[in-house]
Amino acid sequence: MDLQNVPQEGNKTLGGYRKAVYARDAGGHIVVAASNGWEVEEIVTSQAVEEMRSLAETARQNAINGLSSTLEYWMYARRMDLLLLAQSTGIWRWRIRRHFRPEIFARLSPGMLKRYAEALGLAVQQLQRLP
Amino acid sequence: MTFPHHRHAAHCESGVVSNLVCHHGVPITEAMAFGLSAALSFAYLPFIKLSGLPLIAYRQPPRSIIRGLGKVLEAEFRFETFRNPAAGQARLDELLAQGHVVGLQTSVYWLPYFPEDMRFHFNAHNLLVYGKEGNDYLISDPVGEQTVRCDAASLSRARFAKGVLAPRGLLYTMQKPGVSTITPRVARKAILKTCRTMLAPLPIIGVRGIKMLANRVVRLDPAAHRSSLFVGHIIRMQEEIGTGGAGFRFLYAAFLQEVASLSGMEMLSGFSDRLMLIGDGWRAFALATARMVKGRDALNPVTLADLLRDLSRQEEVFFRDLKTALN
């Protein structure tokens, strides 16, 4: 990649950051250049962000319709999946899956709720509600 | 309070370690740190999942740059992990009070200064802490052009995040700066190590790993939503996760060019040019994939797999030649 080909396409996902890339200047030296983004990166990052957003949105609808607990929504809202939530809380996956059932989630002990809330970076009251 | 050795870098670990070594009086570039630690690699690890997708790495595992550079420079780093966040923070404060600049491994997700769309649960990020003011830590994060601040609670959460590659509060300091001149001998050794990795007789590593990934890609169902996520994920690992472009190939080319200025290593300058061209091939692969992800072209696993196979072949020839030239 030559210096004049370093993409400056204003990638939204960088949030104003510029990233360092390596490119060749006119004299053939490879130097660090600041890039404000390449559309390719924007496409793949947006894809990943969009995927997590859609998982959270589905979970939110399920919670509204009483099909799932708010815990499932918050797991996706925090960009986690079942495996990561299990690792973060030390609670087995099958147990978490059970806690996705609203009637069971409603009866969880304060201690259990606190474990979830801490792993998700929330207050317990937030965990029990949708935003 | 400022940190004069903050330099913008492509990759967090090579950036952090080169800035830290500079702080201790040994001027070294990011590319040199990356190359000397033999950090370039490729690994396709289908049994380690990140959000349900396989780990695809274009470099050696976390910490190997720090350890590798320490060995080459005969410098000494000290690593510490902690059982609980309170102890981890107390030790960080203690080291800062003694005037140390401290390296940390953290999660990206819990760092509030990161752009919202870049905050994923990725646990092997590196940054330097050079001071504390009130409740804020002063941070030199080499992926940014400027130094930043982070409140104590967020930093602690980022240091003690759980999951794959959990940092367990890891902090490191440099105990002893090593040698300050880089000899052709150590550079040669490091390059041969990278050749060995890239040509390793293991199916998931190096040029064979690239081929195996191609074989996985070719089996993707073009109609499935999951397939698009899978190929998008490859490009994120290659371009998005701080690689300096083309999955570290440009960064390594910069290293080869720098080494070419040492006596007896002039032939590396041609290799640097060749690797830049291979890097352009990786960028073309990224572009083709992104167009499919976006729906501008139909998802075609065969085309993508062919591009990967071609890159694997090119790298195989490249590292063979490089090895021969140095022996």
Side-chain angles (χ1 to χ4, degrees):
Chain A
M1 186 164 59
D2 290 331
L3 210 46
Q4 72 266 23
N5 297 332
V6 170
Q8 306 290 354
E9 296 171 1
N11 180 347
K12 282 198 302 290
T13 59
L14 287 174
Y17 267 75
R18 292 200 298 171
K19 58 199 286 180
V21 297
Y22 282 76
R24 212 169 11 201
D25 69 11
H29 291 283
I30 303 171
V31 293
V32 187
S35 158
N36 70 20
W38 189 23
E39 198 198 0
V40 164
E41 299 154 358
E42 188 178 57
I43 291 171
V44 292
T45 305
S46 306
Q47 180 197 29
V49 169
E50 207 37 62
E51 175 67 12
M52 286 182 291
R53 212 168 271 155
S54 104
L55 288 171
E57 186 49 34
T58 310
R60 206 170 75 89
Q61 289 305 325
N62 285 342
I64 290 171
N65 297 328
L67 300 171
S68 174
S69 68
T70 52
L71 174 63
E72 188 176 13
Y73 165 76
W74 281 111
M75 175 180 84
Y76 287 125
R78 285 288 182 263
R79 299 186 175 173
M80 291 192 181
D81 59 6
L82 195 55
L83 179 63
L84 184 56
L85 185 59
Q87 287 166 336
S88 304
T89 53
I91 301 170
W92 281 342
R93 274 184 275 180
W94 65 268
R95 264 189 103 189
I96 298 179
R97 231 180 266 124
R98 207 168 149 266
H99 297 161
F100 287 164
R101 284 163 58 186
E103 71 280 11
I104 288 167
F105 183 72
R107 281 181 302 162
L108 283 189
S109 70
M112 200 56 137
L113 287 173
K114 197 161 161 262
R115 266 165 92 177
Y116 281 126
E118 267 173 17
L120 294 164
L122 293 165
V124 172
Q125 297 92 314
Q126 269 177 301
L127 175 65
Q128 293 167 310
R129 278 201 309 258
L130 292 173
Chain B
M1 196 175 172
T2 57
F3 182 58
H5 300 98
H6 177 81
R7 284 176 304 177
H8 196 198
H11 179 57
C12 63
E13 191 173 336
S14 48
V16 156
V17 74
S18 59
N19 291 350
L20 184 60
V21 169
C22 279
H23 174 72
H24 285 272
V26 180
I28 189 171
T29 61
E30 181 195 13
M32 209 44 144
F34 186 82
L36 286 181
S37 56
L40 188 80
S41 177
F42 184 91
Y44 167 55
L45 307 173
F47 41 85
I48 302 179
K49 303 274 188 199
L50 293 170
S51 307
L53 293 162
L55 187 61
I56 298 161
Y58 289 77
R59 55 155 171 121
Q60 297 284 3
R63 271 200 237 184
S64 61
I65 300 181
I66 305 171
R67 283 185 199 285
L69 190 69
K71 216 176 261 174
V72 170
L73 293 183
E74 293 164 31
E76 216 172 276
F77 293 96
R78 181 168 166 185
F79 296 88
E80 294 173 60
T81 54
F82 303 89
R83 270 169 188 264
N84 69 73
Q89 191 177 331
R91 180 68 179 144
L92 174 59
D93 290 347
E94 186 188 337
L95 287 167
L96 290 172
Q98 291 168 6
H100 281 283
V101 170
V102 185
L104 298 180
Q105 183 187 335
T106 69
S107 151
V108 169
Y109 184 81
W110 301 103
L111 293 175
Y113 61 84
F114 249 71
E116 181 59 28
D117 285 344
M118 305 290 255
R119 291 175 61 182
F120 293 96
H121 289 282
F122 174 68
N123 278 335
H125 187 60
N126 284 275
L127 51 84
L128 287 176
V129 184
Y130 63 93
K132 191 178 187 183
E133 275 178 19
N135 195 36
D136 281 352
Y137 287 99
L138 307 178
I139 289 176
S140 156
D141 189 327
V143 301
E145 290 171 273
Q146 263 86 42
T147 54
V148 288
R149 286 164 169 264
C150 180
D151 66 279
S154 300
L155 188 64
S156 182
R157 183 163 265 284
R159 291 176 65 197
F160 288 90
K162 305 272 175 52
V164 176
L165 301 172
R168 303 200 319 278
L170 177 74
L171 61 77
Y172 45 90
T173 47
M174 198 166 166
Q175 298 293 315
K176 183 188 91 168
V179 296
S180 53
T181 45
I182 289 135
T183 59
R185 198 184 64 88
V186 297
R188 179 178 167 275
K189 216 171 130 195
I191 295 168
L192 284 174
K193 191 171 171 204
T194 297
C195 292
R196 249 193 330 273
T197 309
M198 288 306 295
L199 302 169
L202 293 167
I204 56 173
I205 306 291
V207 297
R208 285 189 178 78
I210 303 172
K211 224 170 272 172
M212 184 153 175
L213 178 63
N215 292 340
R216 177 71 193 86
V217 167
V218 85
R219 288 201 312 271
L220 291 172
D221 170 9
H225 173 59
R226 197 93 204 129
S227 305
S228 169
L229 286 176
F230 186 96
V231 293
H233 172 73
I234 304 176
I235 305 308
R236 280 182 53 223
M237 295 299 128
Q238 181 187 314
E239 298 295 335
E240 188 61 29
I241 316 286
T243 69
F248 301 103
R249 270 57 186 167
F250 293 153
L251 179 54
Y252 199 75
F255 161 71
L256 291 179
Q257 190 175 65
E258 207 177 323
V259 174
S261 67
L262 301 178
S263 77
M265 294 297 219
E266 296 77 12
M267 74 290 193
L268 287 181
S269 133
F271 282 100
S272 166
D273 294 342
R274 270 174 74 184
L275 191 57
M276 284 305 274
L277 285 177
I278 293 176
D280 289 339
W282 282 104
R283 300 277 280 187
F285 166 68
L287 182 63
T289 308
R291 289 184 60 87
M292 293 181 191
V293 167
K294 189 82 179 167
R296 287 179 195 152
D297 298 326
L299 181 61
N300 187 341
V302 178
T303 311
L304 296 182
D306 283 345
L307 288 170
L308 279 174
R309 287 201 183 105
D310 190 38
L311 286 162
S312 164
R313 264 190 300 271
Q314 286 182 41
E315 293 206 345
E316 187 171 356
V317 176
F318 175 81
F319 286 104
R320 282 246 160 86
D321 292 351
L322 185 57
K323 196 174 156 188
T324 316
L326 286 175
N327 269 330

